[in-house]
């Protein structure tokens, strides 16, 4: 791999601590969700951060694919739902649902773009064959 950009973030205190990126753009308190035995609260958690990153990266990949295919895009969104669960053996694992909707496009058009974006998005490539990623297209 030839590096293009490197992001650096440091966490202290795990799920109940703090995370900060090297340049300070991300500077967040973390809190353990009630569902995981924590107090909940207003702090972020790793699943939220992963969902935010995946949604942003996937939408960028979709917009790149749309430009390449000369499909005009206006307003739209990708929503990522990241679920933390357990396997039958009791190990923790993640699952992702990516839901896309773009104004002026049918569900079928969005679905086609999402499948193409899933092939080029770095997050999708990193998670492929590691976690289940479900793509859900909506008409705009």
């Amino acid at each position: 791999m030839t590096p293009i950009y490197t992001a650096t973030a440091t966490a202290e205190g795990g799920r109940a601590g703090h995370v900060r990126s090297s340049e300070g753009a991300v500077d967040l308190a973390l809190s353990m969700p009630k569902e995981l035995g924590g107090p909940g609260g207003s702090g972020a958690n790793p699943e939220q951060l992963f969902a935010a990153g995946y949604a942003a990266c996937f939408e960028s990949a979709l917009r790149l694919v749309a430009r390449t295919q000369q499909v005009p895009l206006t307003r739209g969104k990708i929503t990522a739902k990241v679920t933390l669960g357990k396997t039958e053996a009791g190990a923790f694992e993640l699952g992702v649902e990516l839901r896309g909707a773009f104004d002026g496009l049918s569900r079928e058009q969005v679905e086609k773009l999402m499948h193409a974006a899933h092939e080029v998005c770095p997050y999708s490539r990193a998670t492929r064959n590691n976690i289940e990623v479900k793509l859900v297209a909506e008409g705009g």
Side-chain angles (χ1 to χ4, degrees), residues 108-119:
E108 292 78 17
Q109 289 172 304
V110 175
E111 183 175 27
K112 182 179 175 186
L113 289 172
M114 288 182 74
H115 281 281
H118 195 47
E119 295 302 313

Side-chain angles (χ1 to χ4, degrees), residues 58-134:
F58 194 84
E59 184 175 347
S60 290
L62 188 141
R63 289 183 178 278
L64 172 68
V65 167
R67 277 193 310 276
T68 302
Q69 295 181 6
Q70 298 181 356
V71 176
L73 289 184
T74 57
R75 202 170 130 242
K77 64 182 178 184
I78 296 292
T79 301
K81 294 169 75 174
V82 173
T83 300
L84 177 65
K86 282 193 173 183
T87 66
E88 289 182 17
F92 290 106
E93 72 177 353
L94 295 174
V96 176
E97 178 183 287
L98 297 171
R99 187 171 290 272
F102 289 83
D103 290 352
L105 297 182
S106 69
R107 187 190 67 74
E108 292 78 17
Q109 289 172 304
V110 175
E111 183 175 27
K112 182 179 175 186
L113 289 172
M114 288 182 74
H115 281 281
H118 195 47
E119 295 302 313
V120 299
C121 173
Y123 277 65
S124 291
R125 290 171 48 88
T127 60
R128 188 164 288 121
N129 300 319
N130 292 311
I131 66 173
E132 181 181 346
V133 177
K134 181 179 178 183

Side-chain angles (χ1 to χ4, degrees), residues 10 18-21 23-30 44 49:
T10 301
H18 192 101
V19 66
R20 184 176 192 283
S21 61
E23 80 295 330
V26 174
D27 193 352
L28 301 169
L30 301 174
L49 297 171

